[in-house]
Structure formats: C-alpha cells, structure tokens
Amino acid sequence: MDFNHYFTNQELDSLLADWTEKFPRLVSLASIGESYEKRPIWLLTLTNQDTGPDSAKPAVWIDANIHATEISGTTTALHIIDTLLEGYGKDEQITRLLDTSVYYIVPRINPDGAAMAMASVPRFVRSGVRAYPWQEMDEGLHEQDIDGDGRILQMRVPDPNGDWKISSLDPRLMDRRGPAEYGGAYYRVLPEGLIEDFDGYLIKLARPYQGLDFNRNFPFEWRTENEQEGAGPYPASEPEIKAILDYIINHPNINLGLTYHTFSRVILRPLSTKSDEDMDTSDLWVFKKIGDIGTKITGYRNVSTFHDFKYHPKEITTGAFDDWMYDHQGIYCYTIELWDLPTEAGIKDRKFIEWYRDHPHEQDLQILKWADEHGGPGAYVDWYEFNHAQLGKVELGGWNVMYTWRNPPLQYIGAEAARNTPFALAAGDLLPHLALHTLKVTALGGGDYHVNLVVENTGFLPTYTNQKGKKSKVVRPVRAELDVPEEVGIVNGKRRMELGHLEGRSNKLEVSIWEASPTDNRARVEWVLHTENPASLKLRVISERAGTIQTSIQLG
Ligand SMILES: [Zn+2]
C-alpha cells in the first residue's frame, strides 16, 4: 500500500471495508456515532477473535484527526492498522500482540472537518463545522481560498505602517520590520480571505465562524468560552466527543492511549494544567519511561504539555483528551504531534512554541531552501498579483501551510507514519496480562476438596494501570468467581473472592539496584468445596484492565 497519501472520507470508507473483508478474524468495523453532518465515526477493533473476545483482553486506544486539518494522523493510524493486519502470523511481536491484546483505532474522529480541509476549494476550521459560538459571521477577515486555486496562502498589502518587509536574503521571503526601523517599503501580511462588513479602513481578524475545538470539549477541567476558546457550550456537547467518551467508558480494558495530531514532532503527556510536581510521582515516572521508549523509536522528544508546550507561558489549555484519559479514567495517554518542517530543514533543538515568535531570520531561508528542493511544486508560492474585491490590488503567495507546516508534503507522509508505527506496537507490549499460575484441586476425603488458585500479572503495567486509576477507584480490583452447581457446597471461601490488584513490573523501576523484587504481581485464593458426586465448576478470574481467564474445576 502507498502511504504517501492523504485519505478522503470515501477512500477511508472503502479501505476499512476492504480490510474487514480480507481479515475477518482479525478486524471488525463499527461506527461509534455520527458526526454533526451525519458521517460515520469509524472504529476498528483489532485482535485475533479466535483467542477470545476483545472485551476479555487488555487494550490500546489509538485515534487521529480530531483537528480538521491534521490529516497526517489518519495516514499514520492507517499505517498502524495495515502493519498489524499484514504482520499477523509473520511477525512474532505482532502475532503476540493480536493474540493477547486489542487495538481500538479511530483513524478519523472528525470526518466533517477533514472533508472541508480536503475539498477542491478548501476551508480550514479548527474542528467542528457547525456555527459556534455565534450564528452569524463576525465582522473582520475570514480565511478562505479567494482565487479558487485550491490553496489558502497569505496576502501582502503595501502599507507605510506595515510590520513586514521583503527579505534581503530572498525576495520571496518576508522579514519582520525592526522596532526602530523607518523609511523602507513595508507591508501588512494577512491570511488569504475576505472581510465581512468591511468599512474600507479597519481590518480586524474575525472570530472564526466555526470556532469549535473538539480537543477543548472533554470534561477534564472544562471551562466556558470566555476562558477557553473552542470549548463548546458544555462538556461533551459535540456528538464526536460524546461518541468517544461513551465508547471509552464502556471499554474499561483500555490502559494506554495514543492520539495523533500535527505538528512539532513531539510526544506530549499530561497534565496540561499542572506542574509535574503536582502529579502522582509513580505515574510521572511511568509516563516518562514510556515517553522515552517513544523517543528512542521515533526520535521525537517527550515532554509535558504544561512545561514545554503551552501556547502562551501564562496560559493553560483545558478540556483536552489526553488529560481526561489520565485524570478521569486512569489511562496513560500521549498526544503525538507528527512532523516538523523546521526540524526536517535541519534546525535542531528549537523551542516548540517560542520559536514561532522569535528565531533568526536565516532559519526562514533555511526552511525555504528545503521547501524549494524537497517540498514539491507550490510548497512556497512566489507572490502574484490579485485583484481583491475589497482591498483592491494585493499579492497572494507565501507558504502553502496545509502541506508544508501542518502536514508534510505528500512524498514525506509515508515515512513519517512509518517511523511512528513501532511505538504504537511497543505500547501494546506494556499492557498488564492476567495469567493462571496454579490451579490445583486436592481431595481431602469425605467429599471435601481443597482448591488452590494462584494468578499473576505477566505484563509491565499493574492491573490498575496507574495510581490515578487505583485511587479514584475507576478500576475495580481483580476478582475470582465460581459458578457453583446445586450439588456442590462451599465449606470455606465464597463464590466471589476479591484478589486485590496485581502489580506489574512498572513499580520495580522505583526500587534501588540492591533491593529485591517481591511477588506482588501474584495473588492466591483458596476454597474448600464439598460434593458427594463428581462435579465440574466454571471459574472466571476477571481483571477489567488485564483480561479475563475462564477455566473449569473438576471435583471427583
Ligand atoms: Zn491537533
């Protein structure tokens, strides 16, 4: 399959249907809800159905394209699906993962926004396509493709009080006018677009007509629009978000989540609103440990949103998915920002957000040179005259931002997806797994039988995933249940026994090198049963996060 491709909704629909037809025992397809414009929100369940249902296995959650223009995430999610399906039975790791675990994958949370971004005359919204927060267009400039060439570029307008000038390094580039600089030819640079209610003098940037940000609509520390732009009228007000919340809450087997966005080449972790010092220390260590695995595989740095990815040093963002996953559900969740144009152009160790405000102008030239050589035609468009209906003669040009900054040029997306897939596989190898250690029945004479059950967690994460999940009691402890036929009596023990939580290997990261590692990943339970005649009992050991064991006990 060619992954140097951005998939339309139609292509996505048919690809997913093809996969379910080709791999019926490994993948099933369901729509978990409808978007605002009634498009299906597809979710694929990937597991070997011959080794048990998905609900009895630990799971990884993967999603993409919650933000309308971030279509690189969809290609990445599809690359992960393709790798899992094609690798089953051939690759040892993939076969183990699908035999023992589940991947729930939503390749496109926001089909409406993606359709708009990929249209022949595109429009770029942050997320949802319904009018919000106002029903009418705000006065001011609205970004759009005004010459119908399928691109939304920049406009430059000469103005003696403009804050841009033509660069001395390359006449196509714009450079900032210096604070004490006068006497040159200056420009205003604006997004390509039209001005609602233009009075001939004042150009303000309009509040977006479709101003929803789905990744501010989750219940985690949700705030109203005046404090958090794009938040929506109330938490989970949007059907796309409600669908995801309902699905995840009804699938308590999810331990880990990866949500794909663009751009910056960074693996972000919660919290967005609090310092690392205010997080549970054990959880923080595991967050970092898993992040380091991601860094090693992808080359992306792993950082805290609060410490290293705030859009303004004094402002936080609320209502985000990864924070909700961790804080409310006790699930380790990472936001992966794919692709980074400055890094690709050779600019090392830049600050993620501050760089946009302040960097040496020579770096702009470095990026332009990369785009000229590798970006394909039209990555950076030389300025051309256009007769603007409101502003008169302007020039259009500059970055074709959608396929340079927001998403890689087409010939680079396949490689970007491919470098991320191994981390998604590694995530599956971190899950807790419930396993039978010992099940022994001893006849005591006189129709009495002693049952000795030992179970263990063979995975890295504990059966409660993290301290957040344990302390908030969102994850239930492991329990054993016997189906006891009428002729069998319980002399000692109860039909349902709680085994508590089982540690994995993650807590062993905390001990000093000379300390021992106890068997805190095991639990033991005993029963004494009585029967006059031979009998068979069903036994289930249930862990919401680590899977379910079903077996039977023979007496006599
Ligand atoms: Zn995003």
Side-chain angles (χ1 to χ4, degrees), residues 42-53:
W42 295 121
L43 178 138
L44 289 90
T45 301
L46 286 98
T47 190
N48 179 6
Q49 288 159 29
D50 296 332
T51 57

Side-chain angles (χ1 to χ4, degrees), residues 254-272:
I254 298 169
N255 291 267
L256 259 163
L258 303 175
T259 174
Y260 289 99
H261 289 240
T262 66
F263 49 88
S264 286
R265 279 191 180 149
V266 66
I267 298 166
L268 299 170
R269 62 174 165 78
L271 292 166
S272 302

Side-chain angles (χ1 to χ4, degrees), residues 520-536:
D520 52 9
N521 65 320
R522 286 185 198 152
R524 182 174 177 213
V525 62
E526 296 168 274
W527 288 274
V528 176
L529 305 171
H530 179 86
T531 179
E532 297 296 328
N533 301 310
S536 173

Side-chain angles (χ1 to χ4, degrees), residues 480-484 490 494-495 527 529 537-539 553:
E481 293 180 358
L482 286 175
D483 284 349
V484 187
I490 303 181
K494 290 185 294 177
R495 196 175 70 76
W527 288 274
L529 305 171
L537 291 77
K538 277 196 183 127
L539 167 67
I553 296 172

